Amino acid sequence: MATGTNAWIEGELAGCHFADERLGRRLSMLLDQLAGAMGDSIPLACQDWANTKAAYRFFANERVSDADNLAGHFDSIRQWVAATTGPLLVIQDTTEFSFQREHPEKIGQTVRVNSGQDKEGRFRMHTVCGLLMHASLAVTTEGLPLGLGAVKFWTRTKFKGTAALKRKINPTRVPIEQKESVRWLENLRRTTERFGDPARCIHIGDRESDIYELFCLTQELGTHFLVRTCVDRLALGGDTTVDAVMSEVAVQGVRAVAVRDGQGRVGTVEVELTYRSLRILPPIGKQKRYSALTLTVLHAREREALADRPRIDWKLLTDLPVLTQEAAIEKLRWYAVRWKIEVFHKILKSGCKAEEARLRSADRLVKLIAVYCLVSWRVFWMTMIDRSAPDVDAGTSTDAAAATPG
C-alpha cells in the first residue's frame, strides 16, 4: 500500500471499478484535489482550466454514479470493521442539501416552508430546492467513525406534508414499501449484509426511525436496534399502552450527567432511570402482517425542569436486554454517540461547503457529494483517531482502527 500524505486515497478507491480505467484515475485525482482544498470550489481546487473541465466532464458522465464513487469506501470499511472488536454502532440519519438555482426543476425539492406574511397578513409559502441524503455511519463505542455503510440520495418532484396526507389516508395502513421511510429499512439491510456480523451491530436512530417494520427486520436479520421512540404503542395484552405501563414503574436508578445551559455554561443534573421489558403490539392496521415483539423500554428523565433549556426526557426502545442500572447507562451512552452523524453532516456542509456547489442537476450533484462524503469521513476519522489513539500512526493501515478501544 502506498505511503504519503494522501496514501489513504489508494486504499479508499481500490474497490472502485469503472467501465473505463481513466475514470478511476480521474476520481483519484479529484479526491486528492478536493481533499487538499477543502471548502474551495471545483475551479479553485483543480487550479487550472484543463483539470476543471475534466472534473465537470467526470460529474456529467453517464457511466459514473454516486454508487461508483463510494464503492471503494464500502469495500474498505469491511476491513475497518474487522479490525475492531466489541459492539458496532451503526447510526442512521437524513440530512438535506439546499440550493438556489435559476432552474430548480433540474434538481428537485425537499420541503415547503413558511416565508412569513405579506402586506395583507396572508402566509406565503415557498418550495426549497435541494436533495436529501440518508446515510449509515459505523462508529465504535468510543466514538471513532469507521466509515459509511450505506448512502441513499433522492429528491422530490412533488411534496405533500404529513398533515395533508393524513386528511386523505391513515398512514399506518400504507405499506412501508410505499413510503419514504423505507430508506431506514434499506440502509439497515445493506449495512448488515455489508459488515457480515449482524449480532455485533446495533442500529441507532432518532425518533424518525421509530418504525415497527424496522424492529421486525432486525429480528429477521439477527441484528439489533436502539432508537428514540415517539409512538405510544399498545402493550401487554392490548388493553394498555407503553406510556401507561412505564408511568407505574418505580425509579430504578439516578445518573448524574453534564449539560450546558442557555449561556453555554457546563453543569451537572440528575436523571432518573426506569426500564422494563414489555410485549409490544404492531399498529392495528398491520397486526395481520406483523407479530408482537418483546422489547425493552428505557426512560431517562431529568428530575427538575429548568427555565433556560428543555428538560432531558429520553424514551428509548431496544431489542437488547436491560437488567441492571449499569446496562441502562451503557445504552444511554450508546445513544448519545448518535450525535457523531450530526458532526459528519456539519463537516459536509461547513467544511466541504457542499451546498455552495454550482453543478446544475441532481445527478451531477450527488456524484460530487459522494466524493465530499469521502473527504468528510477522512477529516472526521483523523480528528477522532488522534483522540482515541494519539500514539498510533494515522496512515492507511487498519492497525489504527485495531488499536482503538472497542
Side-chain angles (χ1 to χ4, degrees), residues 143-174:
L144 179 66
L146 302 180
L148 296 167
V151 178
K152 176 183 175 63
F153 292 99
W154 78 100
T155 188
R156 300 178 179 125
T157 54
K158 295 181 180 180
F159 179 80
K160 294 182 179 179
T162 304
L165 288 174
K166 286 182 177 179
R167 288 195 291 267
K168 296 184 178 180
I169 191 170
N170 183 351
T172 64
R173 297 183 181 273
V174 178

Side-chain angles (χ1 to χ4, degrees), residues 12 135 390:
E12 284 299 299

Side-chain angles (χ1 to χ4, degrees), residues 39-102:
D40 285 346
S41 64
I42 291 177
L44 282 175
C46 293
Q47 292 293 304
D48 58 61
W49 176 238
N51 279 315
T52 300
K53 194 171 182 179
Y56 288 142
R57 285 200 303 266
F58 178 84
F59 293 121
N61 195 316
E62 294 182 354
R63 294 183 296 172
V64 177
S65 69
D66 56 286
D68 294 329
N69 294 345
L70 290 167
H73 179 74
F74 292 152
D75 188 61
S76 67
I77 193 177
R78 294 189 183 96
Q79 302 176 46
W80 292 107
V81 169
T84 60
T85 59
L88 182 67
L89 309 182
V90 186
I91 311 166
Q92 289 196 51
D93 198 20
T94 304
T95 192
E96 298 177 0
F97 296 93
S98 299
F99 304 97
Q100 292 184 353
R101 293 292 188 273
E102 184 177 351

Side-chain angles (χ1 to χ4, degrees), residues 105-319:
E105 67 277 1
K106 293 183 178 181
I107 296 177
Q109 56 192 35
T110 57
V111 69
R112 284 177 58 82
V113 297
N114 190 335
S115 305
Q117 294 178 314
D118 58 19
K119 295 181 179 179
E120 286 74 32
R122 295 172 297 187
F123 286 103
R124 296 174 298 181
M125 304 293 291
H126 78 273
T127 302
V128 177
C129 169
L131 301 165
L132 298 103
M133 181 186 80
H134 188 75
S136 295
L137 180 69
V139 181
T140 67
T141 55
E142 298 297 323
L144 179 66
L146 302 180
L148 296 167
V151 178
K152 176 183 175 63
F153 292 99
W154 78 100
T155 188
R156 300 178 179 125
T157 54
K158 295 181 180 180
F159 179 80
K160 294 182 179 179
T162 304
L165 288 174
K166 286 182 177 179
R167 288 195 291 267
K168 296 184 178 180
I169 191 170
N170 183 351
T172 64
R173 297 183 181 273
V174 178
I176 188 69
E177 295 80 8
Q178 298 178 18
K179 298 180 180 180
E180 272 192 8
S181 52
V182 73
R183 65 188 185 274
W184 293 90
L185 279 68
E186 292 173 345
N187 270 29
L188 187 148
R189 187 182 294 276
R190 290 193 187 104
T191 52
T192 301
E193 294 173 351
R194 183 162 286 142
F195 298 155
D197 194 353
R200 185 183 165 200
C201 297
I202 296 94
H203 298 268
I204 298 177
D206 59 10
R207 284 173 285 197
E208 195 177 356
S209 67
D210 187 12
I211 305 168
Y212 199 87
E213 290 88 343
L214 183 143
F215 310 155
C216 295
L217 182 60
T218 57
Q219 291 213 343
E220 176 187 330
L221 299 177
T223 188
H224 305 287
F225 72 88
L226 174 64
V227 304
R228 190 172 179 185
T229 182
C230 61
V231 180
D232 186 18
R233 295 182 169 86
L234 294 175
L236 301 180
D239 55 350
T240 186
T241 66
V242 173
D243 285 353
V245 174
M246 293 303 296
S247 65
E248 298 178 358
V249 177
V251 174
Q252 293 151 291
V254 178
R255 176 72 170 177
V257 297
V259 297
R260 293 182 183 273
D261 62 17
Q263 286 72 45
R265 295 170 299 196
V266 178
T268 302
V269 300
E270 290 186 333
V271 175
E272 296 177 340
L273 304 177
T274 56
Y275 46 90
R276 176 176 169 172
S277 176
L278 279 177
R279 181 177 182 268
I280 296 179
L281 279 63
I284 293 176
K286 299 182 179 181
Q287 290 184 357
K288 291 183 179 179
R289 184 174 181 182
Y290 301 103
S291 303
L293 299 173
T294 299
L295 305 175
T296 300
V297 183
L298 169 60
H299 286 185
R301 181 178 174 83
E302 190 175 349
R303 279 185 163 177
E304 298 180 3
L306 301 179
D308 58 352
R309 61 169 176 78
R311 188 177 194 173
I312 297 175
D313 189 8
W314 281 6
K315 297 180 179 180
L316 304 183
L317 192 63
T318 180
D319 65 325

